[in-house]
Amino acid sequence: MCISTLSTYGRGTFVRSVQFSYSSIYSNTTTTYFKMAAPVIETCHVACCANRTPNVVSWGRGGIIAFGTCTSVALYDPQERRVVAVLNGHTGRVNTVQWVHRDDCAPESHLVSGGSDNRLIVWECRNGKFVQVAECKGHTGPVCAVDAIYVEDSEILVASSASDSTVRLWLCNQAVGAQCLHTVSFGSSFVMDVSLALLPGSRVPILACGGDDAQVHLYVQSNGGQLHKAKSLQGHEDWIRGVAWASLGGELLLASCSQDCLIRVWRLCAKSGTDAHIEDDHTTIRMKEDVFEVKERDVSSVFAVSLETVLAGHEHWVYGVHWQPALYKGGELQQPLGLLSASMDKTMIIWAPEEGSGVWVEQVRVGEVGGNTLGFYGCQMSPDGSMIVAHAFHGALHLWCKEQDKEGQWRPGVVISGHFNAVQDLSWDPEGEFILSVGSDQTTRLFTPWRNQDTRQATWHEISRPQIHGYDMQCLATVGRFQFVSGADEKVLRVFQAPRNFVENFANISGTSREKLFASSDSANLPEGASTPALGLSNKAVFQGDLAPKNKEEEGQFSSVSDQYQESYFHPLIMTEPPPEDHLLQNTLWPEVQKLYGHGFEMFCLASDSARTVVASACKASKAEHAAVLLWSTASWRQLQTLPCHTLTVTQMAFSPDAQLLLAVSRDRTVSLWRRNPLTPNSPDPLFSLHAHTGKDTAIHSRIIWSCDWSPDSKYFVTSSRDKKVIVWAPHRLEESRDSVLPPEIKPCSSILDVGDSATAVAFCPFLCSNNSYLLAVGLECGRILLYKWSPVREPAGGHDWSSCGETDILQSHALTVKRLRWRPRPGRVGHENNRPGGQDGGEGEAEEKDSWVQLASASADHSVKIFNVNRRAL
């Protein structure tokens, strides 16, 4: 990253060069390589969603959707169905994103974003590289809306509104950077949205502002760059949520939407000198016109604004309006008369005037039915008008595509999804074919690759949401192929098992044999699906018999009021592609098969052994009595044991790959090691006893130990801490110290690795490197992920046992703390092994795939789950 040079002009600050590199967002390549010194790490997938703000999504003419996700801007390609870049620059939540559209409808090269850090950032694409070219500082509150247009000589005019009750006008160019031209204060009012355009027949910018005073305020820019109020348009009866200009020949159309559930379209046109002074003719009925005068270089022009139409069709607040993008037809620029609107009533409507009468009518209405979600926050239309997208209260994108062969028909499309709050934990399934993740958004989500028939490349998607809870999720552990245990901010652990409908759909989407999947579970007793009852937290199983309609219902007779309302909202679906958001919410839940009681406080961490016989759990604790680890049998779900040792919260646990040892690390800065007792006829259950632990005097870590993991051969384990240290330890086996009176000890067998920041996650790769060294991934509080090789040596003190072999660059790194790192338990990349038609064995190609690649999944507080392909040969 280049060193930033700052120059201040007026109240704006220009950052000359902060350069990020990624392969061109408009290229058609199927793989994006994020290159470092060697191409070691490649971003495979980013699961994320839009922030909960109205103006946070913008669809560019190049086909790329830009949206704010946590403190970053994600660039998503809906054709390739993957995030092509993530731009990190803001330090607060990104609230508004806007492409700067070009007059010739070519793909944009500039993007503007505003955030809760009170800043605006202008990004520019240069040779396929995104550069942060300007930073606008001056607002004293979070920026909530932004718009930008090109003025003379490729200068960008930017308008922004913020919760400091001001609207600012900025000029961005190469010479002076970002300069604040004018600030308009609205006193105690707030402006919700802004939109810029050039007045017809001139180069004078006009700014429309819609706010909480139910008026649309029009400002024009004078020669000195100042804004002068031209008119206030009245008519709305509640807060105005969105405004948008469209240029139509020699006129401008302005759409405004409001919490009064209505959309108003205004027409602005130039008046000739004679028109402006004509006396009112009382014999003809005409719409009232608001006239204002604009001076440009001592030449006066008169413009008139009149109400074109009022559109009523939504039943709730209308949050967003978006005109269909202009396009070139036959060498001429044409503006299609199509207006898209999105509302809290969970619908989007495309409005257009009828051909004969010119009356504006509803052409298409799409949306969601039922469910317990709130509606849409904003909407955008693709450059060719064949796709529309809305973003919802919980961050989900809802995409609809126009059917090519059916006129007026639209169908839901496959689109990216992800958590809308911090992701706390994740886990691969034992076969390494899908990932489960839990987050503070109170959901558990399941991601797997899907290979569409039209594309060679497999893309990752969320295909199930097994748990939608009432508490923030904290941890999970997989137990077998289709079973997991999860813990939330409650004292109860919950066990979930996949229903039959999920197994069938997983087979369809992933291309796995259905018989093979059912063989790994008790298929005879599997329920069809699951449903959460009203006011309940537990997913109840729905069996085949529950889905059959009752005879009484068919006859219209009900024995009680409760018979009229079905208990189950689940409908079995046969899916061949990833489901849309409404199906994820309602039809992909997993039934809860067990609750585990025993902890006194909220759950914090979970672990399961490789034999899938034992689950260990720990909760938040400030006393030794609550810091004990509980062991559970997966066969009976009985509590087997309480393991007391630590005095404060156990932050993470890990079973050794041979399932003989349990490792626990704690907030009290100590490590404990528990050994499995040999089975006896008297105690057939797997029980553990304390093997060794570090004390306050023998502890090397001086701050909380965040994470731990085992080497694949069970010989070593690693710990990482807030003190920036990563240490590899060796558990001295009990046999080695059998004759000794002294208890076994845990001793470090590596030099202390200082990673320069709080090390919040660590993971051993399950496969050894070529020279029998170990590969480790370390996640930092700043969001970076580092790769190291560690070689066991007799004298590690010199630090020669560690060698750095890669790290994520600024585009690949998370924006906030890395919460968890997990390597895929099998070599190769998911979706690449069974690439052959007809299930043929890949032979040499498949062997090379397994030798070359391993995959690493990461969860972060920046709301994202990322999957990286790590090239073992480049190490």
Side-chain angles (χ1 to χ4, degrees), residues 384-402:
D384 60 356
S386 65
M387 291 189 283
I388 52 177
V389 70
H391 67 285
F393 183 76
H394 287 322
L397 294 175
H398 298 254
L399 180 77
W400 279 270
C401 309
K402 189 190 286 184

mmCIF file of all heavy atoms in Angstrom, residues 384-402:
data_model
loop_
_atom_site.group_PDB
_atom_site.id
_atom_site.type_symbol
_atom_site.label_atom_id
_atom_site.label_comp_id
_atom_site.label_asym_id
_atom_site.label_seq_id
_atom_site.Cartn_x
_atom_site.Cartn_y
_atom_site.Cartn_z
ATOM 1 N N ASP A 384 -29.937 -3.289 -18.470
ATOM 2 C CA ASP A 384 -30.835 -3.599 -19.593
ATOM 3 C C ASP A 384 -32.286 -3.774 -19.149
ATOM 4 O O ASP A 384 -33.151 -4.091 -19.968
ATOM 5 C CB ASP A 384 -30.357 -4.858 -20.318
ATOM 6 C CG ASP A 384 -30.330 -6.084 -19.409
ATOM 7 O OD1 ASP A 384 -30.609 -5.938 -18.202
ATOM 8 O OD2 ASP A 384 -30.019 -7.189 -19.907
ATOM 9 N N GLY A 385 -32.554 -3.598 -17.867
ATOM 10 C CA GLY A 385 -33.930 -3.693 -17.369
ATOM 11 C C GLY A 385 -34.454 -5.098 -17.230
ATOM 12 O O GLY A 385 -35.651 -5.290 -16.987
ATOM 13 N N SER A 386 -33.574 -6.112 -17.358
ATOM 14 C CA SER A 386 -34.057 -7.502 -17.303
ATOM 15 C C SER A 386 -34.019 -8.087 -15.888
ATOM 16 O O SER A 386 -34.539 -9.167 -15.658
ATOM 17 C CB SER A 386 -33.208 -8.384 -18.222
ATOM 18 O OG SER A 386 -31.875 -8.449 -17.747
ATOM 19 N N MET A 387 -33.385 -7.369 -14.944
ATOM 20 C CA MET A 387 -33.315 -7.848 -13.558
ATOM 21 C C MET A 387 -33.572 -6.684 -12.615
ATOM 22 O O MET A 387 -33.196 -5.543 -12.912
ATOM 23 C CB MET A 387 -31.944 -8.463 -13.257
ATOM 24 C CG MET A 387 -31.665 -9.766 -13.964
ATOM 25 S SD MET A 387 -30.146 -10.560 -13.369
ATOM 26 C CE MET A 387 -28.899 -9.590 -14.184
ATOM 27 N N ILE A 388 -34.209 -6.979 -11.497
ATOM 28 C CA ILE A 388 -34.400 -5.963 -10.454
ATOM 29 C C ILE A 388 -33.981 -6.571 -9.120
ATOM 30 O O ILE A 388 -34.085 -7.782 -8.912
ATOM 31 C CB ILE A 388 -35.865 -5.467 -10.388
ATOM 32 C CG1 ILE A 388 -36.846 -6.644 -10.267
ATOM 33 C CG2 ILE A 388 -36.206 -4.620 -11.597
ATOM 34 C CD1 ILE A 388 -38.296 -6.227 -10.116
ATOM 35 N N VAL A 389 -33.469 -5.726 -8.234
ATOM 36 C CA VAL A 389 -33.009 -6.210 -6.945
ATOM 37 C C VAL A 389 -33.504 -5.274 -5.851
ATOM 38 O O VAL A 389 -33.604 -4.057 -6.056
ATOM 39 C CB VAL A 389 -31.459 -6.341 -6.910
ATOM 40 C CG1 VAL A 389 -30.787 -4.978 -6.911
ATOM 41 C CG2 VAL A 389 -30.988 -7.154 -5.713
ATOM 42 N N ALA A 390 -33.864 -5.858 -4.712
ATOM 43 C CA ALA A 390 -34.227 -5.065 -3.532
ATOM 44 C C ALA A 390 -33.392 -5.574 -2.369
ATOM 45 O O ALA A 390 -32.977 -6.731 -2.352
ATOM 46 C CB ALA A 390 -35.713 -5.218 -3.217
ATOM 47 N N HIS A 391 -33.130 -4.702 -1.409
ATOM 48 C CA HIS A 391 -32.469 -5.174 -0.190
ATOM 49 C C HIS A 391 -33.402 -4.944 0.987
ATOM 50 O O HIS A 391 -34.101 -3.927 1.060
ATOM 51 C CB HIS A 391 -31.095 -4.525 0.022
ATOM 52 C CG HIS A 391 -31.113 -3.060 0.305
ATOM 53 N ND1 HIS A 391 -31.349 -2.109 -0.661
ATOM 54 C CD2 HIS A 391 -30.907 -2.368 1.450
ATOM 55 C CE1 HIS A 391 -31.280 -0.907 -0.136
ATOM 56 N NE2 HIS A 391 -31.025 -1.031 1.150
ATOM 57 N N ALA A 392 -33.408 -5.919 1.886
ATOM 58 C CA ALA A 392 -34.409 -5.953 2.941
ATOM 59 C C ALA A 392 -33.821 -5.531 4.283
ATOM 60 O O ALA A 392 -32.625 -5.287 4.427
ATOM 61 C CB ALA A 392 -34.997 -7.358 3.041
ATOM 62 N N PHE A 393 -34.689 -5.458 5.286
ATOM 63 C CA PHE A 393 -34.317 -5.014 6.633
ATOM 64 C C PHE A 393 -33.199 -5.868 7.217
ATOM 65 O O PHE A 393 -32.309 -5.374 7.888
ATOM 66 C CB PHE A 393 -35.559 -5.073 7.532
ATOM 67 C CG PHE A 393 -35.317 -4.566 8.928
ATOM 68 C CD1 PHE A 393 -35.226 -3.203 9.173
ATOM 69 C CD2 PHE A 393 -35.184 -5.442 9.987
ATOM 70 C CE1 PHE A 393 -35.011 -2.724 10.458
ATOM 71 C CE2 PHE A 393 -34.969 -4.975 11.279
ATOM 72 C CZ PHE A 393 -34.892 -3.610 11.520
ATOM 73 N N HIS A 394 -33.224 -7.165 6.955
ATOM 74 C CA HIS A 394 -32.188 -8.057 7.479
ATOM 75 C C HIS A 394 -31.025 -8.233 6.506
ATOM 76 O O HIS A 394 -30.277 -9.206 6.602
ATOM 77 C CB HIS A 394 -32.792 -9.422 7.837
ATOM 78 C CG HIS A 394 -33.626 -9.384 9.080
ATOM 79 N ND1 HIS A 394 -33.277 -8.624 10.179
ATOM 80 C CD2 HIS A 394 -34.782 -10.004 9.415
ATOM 81 C CE1 HIS A 394 -34.194 -8.780 11.123
ATOM 82 N NE2 HIS A 394 -35.118 -9.608 10.690
ATOM 83 N N GLY A 395 -30.866 -7.306 5.565
ATOM 84 C CA GLY A 395 -29.687 -7.308 4.712
ATOM 85 C C GLY A 395 -29.771 -8.178 3.484
ATOM 86 O O GLY A 395 -28.905 -8.089 2.613
ATOM 87 N N ALA A 396 -30.791 -9.030 3.399
ATOM 88 C CA ALA A 396 -30.862 -9.964 2.270
ATOM 89 C C ALA A 396 -31.152 -9.218 0.975
ATOM 90 O O ALA A 396 -31.941 -8.273 0.945
ATOM 91 C CB ALA A 396 -31.951 -11.001 2.526
ATOM 92 N N LEU A 397 -30.488 -9.656 -0.110
ATOM 93 C CA LEU A 397 -30.800 -9.142 -1.444
ATOM 94 C C LEU A 397 -31.873 -10.045 -2.058
ATOM 95 O O LEU A 397 -31.806 -11.265 -1.945
ATOM 96 C CB LEU A 397 -29.552 -9.144 -2.329
ATOM 97 C CG LEU A 397 -28.430 -8.194 -1.911
ATOM 98 C CD1 LEU A 397 -27.221 -8.384 -2.809
ATOM 99 C CD2 LEU A 397 -28.880 -6.751 -1.947
ATOM 100 N N HIS A 398 -32.861 -9.438 -2.688
ATOM 101 C CA HIS A 398 -33.933 -10.178 -3.368
ATOM 102 C C HIS A 398 -33.851 -9.832 -4.848
ATOM 103 O O HIS A 398 -34.052 -8.674 -5.227
ATOM 104 C CB HIS A 398 -35.303 -9.787 -2.813
ATOM 105 C CG HIS A 398 -35.482 -10.096 -1.351
ATOM 106 N ND1 HIS A 398 -36.251 -11.141 -0.896
ATOM 107 C CD2 HIS A 398 -34.973 -9.504 -0.252
ATOM 108 C CE1 HIS A 398 -36.216 -11.168 0.424
ATOM 109 N NE2 HIS A 398 -35.451 -10.168 0.839
ATOM 110 N N LEU A 399 -33.565 -10.824 -5.664
ATOM 111 C CA LEU A 399 -33.357 -10.601 -7.097
ATOM 112 C C LEU A 399 -34.486 -11.251 -7.895
ATOM 113 O O LEU A 399 -34.874 -12.383 -7.610
ATOM 114 C CB LEU A 399 -32.008 -11.207 -7.524
ATOM 115 C CG LEU A 399 -31.611 -11.075 -8.986
ATOM 116 C CD1 LEU A 399 -31.123 -9.660 -9.281
ATOM 117 C CD2 LEU A 399 -30.507 -12.069 -9.331
ATOM 118 N N TRP A 400 -34.999 -10.520 -8.882
ATOM 119 C CA TRP A 400 -35.981 -11.096 -9.814
ATOM 120 C C TRP A 400 -35.480 -10.903 -11.239
ATOM 121 O O TRP A 400 -34.907 -9.860 -11.567
ATOM 122 C CB TRP A 400 -37.351 -10.426 -9.665
ATOM 123 C CG TRP A 400 -38.155 -10.959 -8.523
ATOM 124 C CD1 TRP A 400 -39.032 -12.002 -8.526
ATOM 125 C CD2 TRP A 400 -38.152 -10.459 -7.182
ATOM 126 N NE1 TRP A 400 -39.572 -12.185 -7.275
ATOM 127 C CE2 TRP A 400 -39.050 -11.258 -6.431
ATOM 128 C CE3 TRP A 400 -37.483 -9.435 -6.543
ATOM 129 C CZ2 TRP A 400 -39.294 -11.049 -5.083
ATOM 130 C CZ3 TRP A 400 -37.712 -9.219 -5.196
ATOM 131 C CH2 TRP A 400 -38.615 -10.019 -4.479
ATOM 132 N N CYS A 401 -35.708 -11.907 -12.061
ATOM 133 C CA CYS A 401 -35.265 -11.880 -13.458
ATOM 134 C C CYS A 401 -36.481 -12.002 -14.370
ATOM 135 O O CYS A 401 -37.393 -12.791 -14.097
ATOM 136 C CB CYS A 401 -34.305 -13.036 -13.749
ATOM 137 S SG CYS A 401 -32.951 -13.169 -12.579
ATOM 138 N N LYS A 402 -36.457 -11.244 -15.460
ATOM 139 C CA LYS A 402 -37.565 -11.293 -16.426
ATOM 140 C C LYS A 402 -37.464 -12.585 -17.225
ATOM 141 O O LYS A 402 -36.389 -12.949 -17.699
ATOM 142 C CB LYS A 402 -37.473 -10.085 -17.357
ATOM 143 C CG LYS A 402 -38.683 -9.904 -18.257
ATOM 144 C CD LYS A 402 -38.452 -8.837 -19.326
ATOM 145 C CE LYS A 402 -38.505 -7.449 -18.736
ATOM 146 N NZ LYS A 402 -38.377 -6.406 -19.792
#
